Amino acid sequence: MRSGGAGCSARLLLTVGWLLLTGLQLTCGINVTAIQDPSLAREGEGEPEGDEEPENDSETESEPEAEAEDDISNSTIVKEVEFGMCTVTCGIGIREVILTSGCPGGESKCIVRVEECRGPVDCGWGRPISESLERVRLACVHTSPENRFKYIWRLLRPDQQAIILANDSAILEVQRDTHPKAFECETLDNNEIVASIRFTIYTTTELQMKRASRPDTDAVLVFVLTIGVIICIFVIFVLIFIIINWTAVKDFWGAKASTTEIQSELSSMRYKDSTSLDQSPTDIPGHEDDALSEWNE
């Protein structure tokens, strides 16, 4: 009985102690949460501010980095791009934009695009695009599209003000007159003169005189060029033949030189023989005279 009562009392003590511990834990937890709630709320309110500040810092730091990257990319673009020659020496033309690195297929250079380029405004005196004995067609300086520019045609007169013509297109057709005429065309882009060119239109008689007085050198020039090309080709083939057959050529020239030497020696010997024969008859009368003088003595 005592052992059973001792066991029951021990169980009661354990249950009471467990209840006390759980009650203390609950009360401590409530107090802790009550104490920590304001700080947590404050931290919760403060954390967004702290998060916003790094974002602002990151934004402010990212802006210089982006600018630096843009500067680097711009510098690399400037170094990697080249511009070709302009197609015109005056007025408006086009040129190629060439990429010197990063081309597809491992090529050293490739054309990226074609852009407009400009030269000096004054193009001087030009030539008609087509002419006959009756009509002449003149063209202003322009690029495609043609309707992008504005054109002003003028009839130039000596010591007088120029007359502005009604034609506003890039092409002007003019009939020849009894007197020569001069025309000028100005090309405007956004009311800015980008090109100016002038033309002289001769009369029919003047044109005929120029064509008649012009020497017909085309046929002669073609003939001379053809003969020159043929001679150059012949010389090249001769040189190639000599180089390929150098030993045979050397032997041939050696044999020819030896024959010439032998012929020269034979001719010299024949000359000596002929001179000796010429001198012998003159010597004989001298000997006869000596013998006669000795006989007389």
Side-chain angles (χ1 to χ4, degrees), residues 40-87:
L40 289 171
R42 290 177 183 176
E43 288 177 0
E45 293 176 357
E47 283 177 0
E49 294 178 358
D51 293 334
E52 289 177 359
E53 289 177 0
E55 288 177 359
N56 293 328
D57 293 335
S58 63
E59 289 177 0
T60 55
E61 289 176 359
S62 63
E63 289 177 357
E65 290 178 356
E67 292 177 358
E69 289 177 359
D70 292 335
D71 294 335
I72 292 168
S73 63
N74 291 329
S75 63
T76 54
I77 288 170
V78 169
K79 291 180 181 178
E80 294 176 354
V81 171
E82 291 181 357
F83 297 97
M85 296 293 292
C86 192
T87 56

Side-chain angles (χ1 to χ4, degrees), residues 41-293:
R42 290 177 183 176
E43 288 177 0
E45 293 176 357
E47 283 177 0
E49 294 178 358
D51 293 334
E52 289 177 359
E53 289 177 0
E55 288 177 359
N56 293 328
D57 293 335
S58 63
E59 289 177 0
T60 55
E61 289 176 359
S62 63
E63 289 177 357
E65 290 178 356
E67 292 177 358
E69 289 177 359
D70 292 335
D71 294 335
I72 292 168
S73 63
N74 291 329
S75 63
T76 54
I77 288 170
V78 169
K79 291 180 181 178
E80 294 176 354
V81 171
E82 291 181 357
F83 297 97
M85 296 293 292
C86 192
T87 56
V88 295
T89 57
C90 66
I92 309 165
I94 56 175
R95 65 180 178 183
E96 297 175 346
V97 181
I98 302 169
L99 190 66
T100 58
S101 63
C103 295
E107 296 181 357
S108 60
K109 290 184 179 181
C110 55
I111 299 172
V112 179
R113 64 180 183 274
V114 177
E115 65 180 12
E116 185 181 287
C117 60
R118 295 186 181 182
V121 174
D122 190 4
C123 293
W125 295 90
R127 292 184 177 181
I129 56 175
S130 65
E131 60 179 345
S132 64
L133 294 175
E134 296 177 355
R135 293 178 177 272
V136 180
R137 293 189 68 192
L138 310 176
C140 285
V141 178
H142 66 279
T143 57
S144 58
E146 182 179 330
N147 57 1
R148 170 190 163 190
F149 303 99
K150 183 180 178 182
Y151 309 99
I152 298 176
W153 287 94
R154 291 186 178 90
L155 175 61
L156 302 179
R157 297 184 297 176
D159 300 330
Q160 292 181 4
Q161 188 176 2
I163 299 173
I164 298 175
L165 303 178
N167 186 16
D168 59 352
S169 63
I171 306 298
L172 177 66
E173 286 192 6
V174 181
Q175 288 186 352
R176 296 188 186 275
D177 202 348
T178 56
H179 300 284
K181 294 180 180 180
F183 293 89
E184 182 183 18
C185 179
E186 291 181 350
T187 305
L188 287 81
D189 185 13
N190 295 325
N191 295 325
E192 179 186 358
I193 299 174
V194 294
S196 175
I197 189 168
R198 293 177 291 276
F199 302 94
T200 300
I201 307 303
Y202 296 99
T203 62
T204 304
T205 55
E206 288 176 346
L207 183 64
Q208 289 176 350
M209 289 175 64
K210 286 181 67 176
R211 289 180 177 178
S213 62
R214 185 181 300 170
D216 191 9
T217 58
D218 294 336
V220 177
L221 183 61
V222 170
F223 177 76
V224 171
L225 289 175
T226 306
I227 295 299
V229 170
I230 291 170
I231 291 171
C232 291
I233 293 171
F234 177 75
V235 170
I236 291 168
F237 276 107
V238 168
L239 291 174
I240 293 170
F241 177 79
I242 291 171
I243 291 168
I244 293 172
N245 301 309
W246 175 245
T247 55
V249 172
K250 190 175 180 181
D251 296 337
F252 174 76
W253 284 107
K256 191 173 182 180
S258 63
T259 54
T260 53
E261 289 178 358
I262 292 168
Q263 288 177 359
S264 62
E265 289 178 358
L266 290 172
S267 62
S268 63
M269 291 175 65
R270 288 174 183 175
Y271 178 75
K272 289 179 181 180
D273 293 338
S274 62
T275 53
S276 62
L277 290 172
D278 292 336
Q279 289 178 358
S280 60
T282 56
D283 292 337
I284 293 169
H287 291 293
E288 290 179 352
D289 294 336
D290 293 336
L292 289 172
S293 63

